[in-house]
Amino acid sequence: MDQQPSPAFDQAPEPTPERPAYRTIARIRSDFPSKFGVPRQSGLVPELLARVVFEPAFRSVDAVRGIDGFSHLWLLWEFDKSISSGRDWSPTVRPPRLGGHDRLGVFATRSPFRPNPIGLSSVRLVRVESDGDDAPALVVSGADLVDGTPLLDVKPYIPYDVHPEATSGFIGENPETWYAVDIPDELLARVPEGKREALLGVLAHDPRPRFMDDPGRVFGLPFAGLDVRFRIDATTVHVVDVQPLDPDAAAAWPGYR
């Protein structure tokens, strides 16, 4: 991806032996060609499958030896789509969950516009693929990443990482609202069978931006090579059309028509 770094990155010191440059070790391969519709956090839609494909320099069976003993993994990744916007970081941001009106400190949120644009996701390891040109590759579920996102590291998730007493700040104890999904059989049949449960899960979590609460507007979700058109009322997501997605339009997808 050819991207221009923000001013904050232009001013960063040159890498030294004491401060090495970070390298992309892998890229995620998911069903989301753009940011619109990506779950708001990892694990919300466990039916979503993605692949961790290592870059050639790190594509080694020795590098993943023993990883199949862990059920879950941490993925550290780069908000590369935010870097390309050219926007510098700010000490405060407006979280969409608060309607985009109230400001909070950037370190009290998961905003992509940070001094270092690094994301962290917890995913379930489904299997290690040992065959194929890009083997070894990791198949994971519950990833909240755009296709092609650069990964900086993969680490085992262990039970000690859980903190049952943790509080949720402004997010609250029940951060997500579930919607019923109404999709005619003829439209569901246009979705590959292995992708249907994942699509229904994405739609049930309301993929719209928080501030776009308009029951009359038809939105478009680019997913798994499909253009899924839908609208949402107070309780239900109504799918109105499913068509093949124009790949040239997916990168600049606005999310609504």
Side-chain angles (χ1 to χ4, degrees):
M1 297 183 182
D2 295 327
Q3 299 174 339
Q4 296 299 318
S6 68
F9 289 88
D10 288 337
Q11 298 165 9
E14 291 294 325
T16 66
E18 294 75 24
R19 187 184 183 279
Y22 294 110
R23 293 180 287 177
T24 297
I25 66 159
R27 292 189 183 273
I28 200 79
R29 294 303 171 193
S30 75
D31 287 319
F32 295 100
S34 71
K35 292 184 289 185
F36 185 83
V38 175
R40 295 180 178 90
Q41 64 183 44
S42 59
L44 280 181
V45 185
E47 297 84 2
L48 282 173
L49 295 182
R51 297 175 74 241
V52 173
V53 178
F54 291 96
E55 296 288 280
F58 303 97
R59 197 172 294 167
S60 166
V61 293
D62 290 332
V64 297
R65 184 183 301 171
I67 201 170
D68 55 356
F70 297 91
S71 63
H72 292 73
L73 303 171
W74 288 113
L75 303 181
L76 279 76
W77 47 278
E78 182 180 58
F79 283 105
D80 62 317
K81 300 296 186 295
S82 299
I83 295 174
S84 65
S85 70
R87 174 178 170 181
D88 199 359
W89 83 284
S90 169
T92 61
V93 295
R94 294 187 175 97
R97 188 175 297 281
L98 299 180
H101 303 297
D102 299 326
R103 281 192 173 274
L104 291 178
V106 64
F107 300 128
T109 74
R110 297 185 178 187
S111 168
F113 302 105
R114 320 182 70 79
N116 292 302
I118 297 173
L120 177 68
S121 297
S122 172
V123 297
R124 183 171 67 87
L125 176 61
V126 177
R127 63 180 179 272
V128 179
E129 293 183 339
S130 56
D131 297 321
D133 294 338
D134 55 10
L138 310 178
V139 178
V140 299
S141 72
D144 53 341
L145 301 173
V146 176
D147 184 59
T149 295
L151 301 186
L152 304 178
D153 205 355
V154 176
K155 297 178 184 292
Y157 176 105
I158 58 177
Y160 301 117
D161 291 335
V162 176
H163 299 281
E165 74 281 6
T167 57
S168 302
F170 71 91
I171 296 175
E173 296 301 321
N174 298 299
E176 293 299 320
T177 300
W178 282 78
Y179 286 78
V181 179
D182 173 30
I183 178 169
D185 290 341
E186 63 188 74
L187 297 183
L188 185 61
R190 299 178 188 178
V191 181
E193 187 173 358
K195 304 289 185 181
R196 292 174 188 173
E197 289 301 317
L199 174 61
L200 295 176
V202 170
L203 292 171
H205 280 288
D206 184 3
R208 303 171 301 175
R210 294 286 187 180
F211 59 87
M212 288 186 176
D213 187 12
D214 182 354
R217 172 171 279 175
V218 174
F219 293 81
L221 170 67
F223 177 81
L226 299 171
D227 174 1
V228 181
R229 299 295 177 95
F230 66 94
R231 59 180 179 83
I232 301 183
D233 59 26
T235 62
T236 305
V237 178
H238 302 274
V239 179
V240 299
D241 198 12
V242 177
Q243 296 291 338
L245 178 66
D246 178 359
D248 294 331
W253 195 260
Y256 55 90
R257 290 292 184 265

